[in-house]
Amino acid sequence: MTKPSVLFVCVHNAGRSQMAAGWLRHLAGDSVEVRSAGSEPADRINPVAVAAMREVGIDLTEQIPVRLSWDDARASDVIVTMGCGDACPVFPGKRYEDWKLTDPAGQPIEVVRRVRDEIRVRVAALLAELTGS
């Protein structure tokens, strides 16, 4: 069986999609290929999101926001969007999920922690579906 691949997409690739990718890498190890991207990537990851993830032992400091590419989307089995609307590409035959999550940009750490924890629950459920565990 080939390794499933997941692409997390948000507008700036600086908060939600980076946290989701961090959680999936943490929970799945190398059993799932993980990508994240943004329709309009920021210059850097949201430092409050980095701090919130550091609290749970996940280091996002080396991650860099990247622009969403058609190749990444085409190569992914599951595409999870988080607020990028029409900027997210649609490929026939791909599984799509749209996660309605608060944008952590400009939010205090308390709000970002809630977003982080909600993302963890969703990522764990997705992982269980993908791996059958």
Side-chain angles (χ1 to χ4, degrees):
M1 181 175 138
T2 62
K3 184 178 354 184
S5 61
V6 177
L7 171 62
F8 295 103
V9 183
C10 67
V11 176
H12 299 296
N13 192 221
R16 295 166 288 187
S17 58
Q18 291 284 357
M19 289 192 289
W23 274 121
L24 187 53
R25 286 184 190 104
H26 178 76
L27 296 172
D30 63 358
S31 67
V32 176
E33 187 175 336
V34 182
R35 299 178 178 95
S36 72
S39 55
E40 298 174 26
D43 294 331
R44 63 186 176 112
I45 294 185
N46 178 341
V48 182
V50 172
M53 293 299 283
R54 186 179 301 122
E55 291 176 351
V56 294
I58 299 172
D59 183 8
L60 297 181
T61 57
E62 298 298 316
Q63 301 302 314
I64 299 168
V66 297
R67 181 166 304 281
L68 176 61
S69 78
W70 289 93
D71 290 340
D72 282 343
R74 189 177 300 117
S76 300
D77 298 311
V78 180
I79 299 173
V80 179
T81 58
M82 304 173 200
C84 61
D86 293 339
C88 294
V90 176
F91 289 95
K94 297 294 178 184
R95 174 179 167 185
Y96 284 87
E97 292 191 17
D98 185 40
W99 293 355
K100 305 289 188 212
L101 298 162
T102 300
D103 186 348
Q107 298 290 337
I109 189 77
E110 296 79 20
V111 172
V112 178
R113 284 180 184 131
R114 286 194 298 272
V115 174
R116 173 200 67 200
D117 295 345
E118 185 176 348
I119 289 172
R120 185 197 189 286
V121 170
R122 291 176 186 231
V123 166
L126 177 61
L127 178 61
E129 289 176 30
L130 291 174
T131 61
S133 57

